[in-house]
Amino acid sequence: NIGMIKKFNAAIEAKELGFKLEDILPQVLSAGDDAGELTEEGARLLDPSGALQAGVPLCPPEGDAGTGMVATNSVASRTGNVSAGTSIFAMIVLEKDLSQLYTEIDMVTTPSGKPVAMVHCNTCTSDLDAWIKLFGEVLTTMGMEKDMNALYETMYRIALTADADCGGLMTYNYFSGEPITGLDEGRPLFVRLPDAKFTLANFMRAQLYSTLATLKLGMDILFDKENVALDKLLGHGGFFKIKGVGQRIMAAAVNVPVVVMETAGEGGAWGIALLASYMQNKENNETLENFLSDKVFSASAGECVNPNLEDLKGFKEFMVQYENGLVIERAAVASLK
């Protein structure tokens, strides 16, 4: 940011340090650029035994965000990926910069420099996991065999038989604070009206909805205020482990097709390896987007779940009550110490 650099230089000018900020900042390189090679000194630092040889070519380094985009083939505009487990975040590749600052949205870039909006929430499946653990204790107490994988499968799938709006049940999965909803601390809560349809299926669907509710509020900023277009969202993480269930709920939350690929769980180490391969093997002016789509993921389209109209309507009704009920969560944070 040129403006911020100028402000910094103005602030240190009187100190006569003999340099400007741009003199000491590292060089910015894009995906596919040559970032040099491993020196003899560097090789010995990493491996004093001498087995590691100098001269290894280096690609520009990336953090978890960039390598995650590459590992999930989410580097083209109008694509995105969502990682859902203990916490949850979505990264959406934009066609243009956002029009203004939103404190709920973090801005990063793809390895090739496209703008990316990130929505991050502190908690996702922690409360759901706690409830399934409790159900497992019921089985143990009754002297029944407890297979947690089978239990997760059963509890997730029964949610698909529930009322689309969860029958009037409401849950807040806040193990910690959530900046998107303005909470510094969290209190996991389950609430219902006396005439709500209190069934196991509705309870589990409410739990699944709750894991995505705060993310939904952040995503709505992009969709409603910035008119961000999204063709598909690639899901990865424990939330999507039960085939077809997490995908269907996520599609209902964001009204976008959700894809899960077998390679989505490979992680950042694989992502940076793909970036190294792109640097070594790209042809002429081949873009990172084309390299990944044509040479890496061409045979890995993944399974896609499209939004279901009944689910969309039900999730929307759930979110109305969710936002109205946030006053309960805030009261719990204030009073339960």
Side-chain angles (χ1 to χ4, degrees):
N1 187 304
I2 300 300
M4 297 298 288
I5 290 176
K6 288 182 178 179
K7 289 181 181 179
F8 184 91
N9 287 335
I12 66 171
E13 185 175 5
K15 299 184 181 294
E16 299 182 353
L17 298 176
F19 65 84
K20 294 182 178 180
L21 181 58
E22 54 266 42
D23 298 329
I24 61 173
L25 287 175
Q27 183 181 0
V28 176
L29 296 176
S30 184
D33 289 345
D34 182 358
E37 61 182 38
L38 182 64
T39 64
E40 183 64 35
E41 181 183 7
R44 297 293 68 78
L45 177 66
L46 295 171
D47 179 20
S49 74
L52 179 62
Q53 298 181 11
V56 176
L58 303 176
C59 69
E62 285 288 343
D64 288 346
T67 57
M69 295 175 212
V70 172
T72 55
N73 193 24
S74 305
V75 296
S77 297
R78 300 171 66 102
T79 67
N81 75 88
V82 58
S83 175
T86 304
S87 64
I88 186 170
F89 64 86
M91 293 186 291
I92 311 303
V93 186
L94 306 175
E95 297 177 279
K96 60 181 180 179
D97 291 333
L98 299 181
S99 65
Q100 65 181 79
L101 171 69
Y102 298 97
T103 57
E104 301 92 340
I105 309 294
D106 295 321
M107 291 301 301
V108 294
T109 68
T110 69
S112 54
K114 291 182 180 294
V116 176
M118 175 187 284
V119 181
H120 183 272
C121 305
N122 293 328
T123 49
C124 181
T125 61
S126 294
D127 194 34
L128 185 153
D129 292 339
W131 280 104
I132 292 183
K133 181 180 178 181
L134 181 67
F135 295 142
E137 287 188 31
V138 174
L139 296 179
T140 302
T141 302
M142 295 179 66
M144 302 174 66
E145 182 180 351
K146 181 178 68 174
D147 181 336
M148 291 305 293
N149 288 330
L151 183 58
Y152 267 94
E153 176 96 20
T154 300
M155 300 303 282
Y156 269 56
R157 294 208 177 281
I158 198 172
L160 299 184
T161 69
D163 296 317
D165 63 353
C166 305
L169 308 187
M170 182 54 58
T171 178
Y172 295 90
N173 67 333
Y174 289 4
F175 267 55
S176 61
E178 290 291 359
I180 290 177
T181 48
L183 288 161
D184 295 328
E185 297 180 46
R187 302 289 185 270
L189 293 176
F190 170 68
V191 295
R192 61 189 174 101
L193 293 172
D195 60 349
K197 298 177 183 178
F198 191 25
T199 66
L200 181 61
N202 281 342
F203 177 83
M204 282 308 303
R205 194 173 186 109
Q207 289 292 332
L208 290 170
Y209 277 9
S210 181
T211 62
L212 308 181
T214 307
L215 182 80
K216 164 70 171 174
L217 296 175
M219 295 284 280
D220 280 349
I221 294 174
L222 299 176
F223 294 144
D224 298 341
K225 296 183 179 181
E226 292 290 332
N227 297 313
V228 168
L230 186 59
D231 294 330
K232 65 178 179 179
L233 191 64
L234 194 140
H236 53 115
F239 181 77
F240 300 101
K241 186 176 181 180
I242 307 303
K243 187 176 180 179
V245 180
Q247 281 176 273
R248 178 170 161 179
I249 302 300
M250 180 65 73
V254 296
N255 193 18
V256 170
V258 177
V259 178
V260 172
M261 295 187 294
E262 290 184 8
T263 55
E266 295 294 342
W270 191 55
I272 196 65
L274 292 178
L275 287 169
S277 177
Y278 172 59
M279 181 194 71
Q280 289 280 80
N281 301 311
K282 69 180 186 297
E283 299 178 9
N284 299 320
N285 295 319
E286 185 177 26
T287 65
L288 177 61
E289 295 88 333
N290 289 341
F291 176 82
L292 293 177
S293 295
D294 298 342
K295 296 180 178 177
V296 179
F297 295 97
S298 59
S300 305
E303 295 191 16
C304 180
V305 171
N306 292 309
N308 174 286
L309 290 178
E310 185 178 355
D311 291 342
L312 287 170
K313 183 174 182 291
F315 199 98
K316 183 177 181 180
E317 292 170 355
F318 176 88
M319 285 304 301
V320 170
Q321 297 304 319
Y322 186 90
E323 290 192 74
N324 289 340
L326 279 170
V327 63
I328 307 171
E329 176 68 22
R330 295 189 178 98
V333 170
S335 59
L336 299 177
K337 299 293 185 179

